[in-house]
Amino acid sequence: MFPGHPLFQKKTTLLTYFTVWVVLAVLQAAVMRLEFGHTWASALTDGFISYGIFSLFAISFWYPAKYLSLEENSTAIILINHLAAAMVAAGIWAALLYLVLPYQMVNPENSDSFLRNSLSWRVAIGMLLYTIVTFFFYLQSYY
């Protein structure tokens, strides 16, 4: 399916990968419940949809890590390319969430304002997650 992709080398690696995303989804749900007052149903729905989409999307982050070699490119080229990729990935993720989540929210009348208000931190989290996942793939490639 994905020849050479580190997530598909062993079943335990793929299981660990998705387990981490489940933990992140639950943590986000807890923050949404405790800090923003969302119901557990709404918070868990948001968390699992958000991180479910990102976890599938993040599988592709291996390709920039594989083809943007640390030995063959300057630090500036690597940073610029990854910054652009992180912005694009976070933007696509946020746009997908903005399209999908209103139909899944328990309280749809408040979902539009919440999604609009949460756009900046979702993009920031998306860029951070891109960085972490790509770093993980670099570590897999070099060690």
Side-chain angles (χ1 to χ4, degrees):
M1 185 163 144
F2 296 98
H5 197 296
L7 290 179
F8 298 98
Q9 300 301 314
K10 292 188 270 182
K11 288 180 184 178
T12 56
T13 306
L14 192 59
L15 180 63
T16 302
Y17 176 79
F18 284 114
T19 301
V20 168
W21 290 109
V22 167
V23 169
L24 287 173
V26 171
L27 287 173
Q28 177 185 312
V31 168
M32 289 178 65
R33 171 70 180 126
L34 300 173
E35 293 297 321
F36 298 112
H38 288 268
T39 64
W40 277 111
S42 177
L44 287 168
T45 300
D46 185 296
F48 280 108
I49 289 174
S50 296
Y51 288 107
I53 290 172
F54 201 90
S55 69
L56 295 174
F57 193 37
I59 291 171
S60 69
F61 299 168
W62 173 68
Y63 294 100
K66 180 180 180 188
Y67 293 109
L68 198 57
S69 170
L70 298 177
E71 292 91 16
E72 297 173 12
N73 297 289
S74 69
T75 303
I77 293 294
I78 291 169
L79 290 176
I80 290 168
N81 278 289
H82 281 301
L83 179 62
M87 288 190 296
V88 168
I92 291 171
W93 179 56
L96 284 171
L97 292 179
Y98 196 78
L99 292 172
V100 172
L101 281 176
Y103 300 105
Q104 305 302 321
M105 298 294 254
V106 174
N107 191 0
E109 29 314 320
N110 295 333
S111 67
D112 192 49
S113 65
F114 173 72
L115 288 173
R116 227 178 296 115
N117 293 336
S118 67
L119 182 63
S120 59
W121 64 262
R122 287 182 192 270
V123 169
I125 288 173
M127 291 179 69
L128 176 65
L129 290 173
Y130 172 89
T131 303
I132 292 168
V133 170
T134 304
F135 183 70
F136 166 78
F137 286 138
Y138 271 118
L139 285 174
Q140 289 283 319
S141 297
Y142 287 96
Y143 295 104

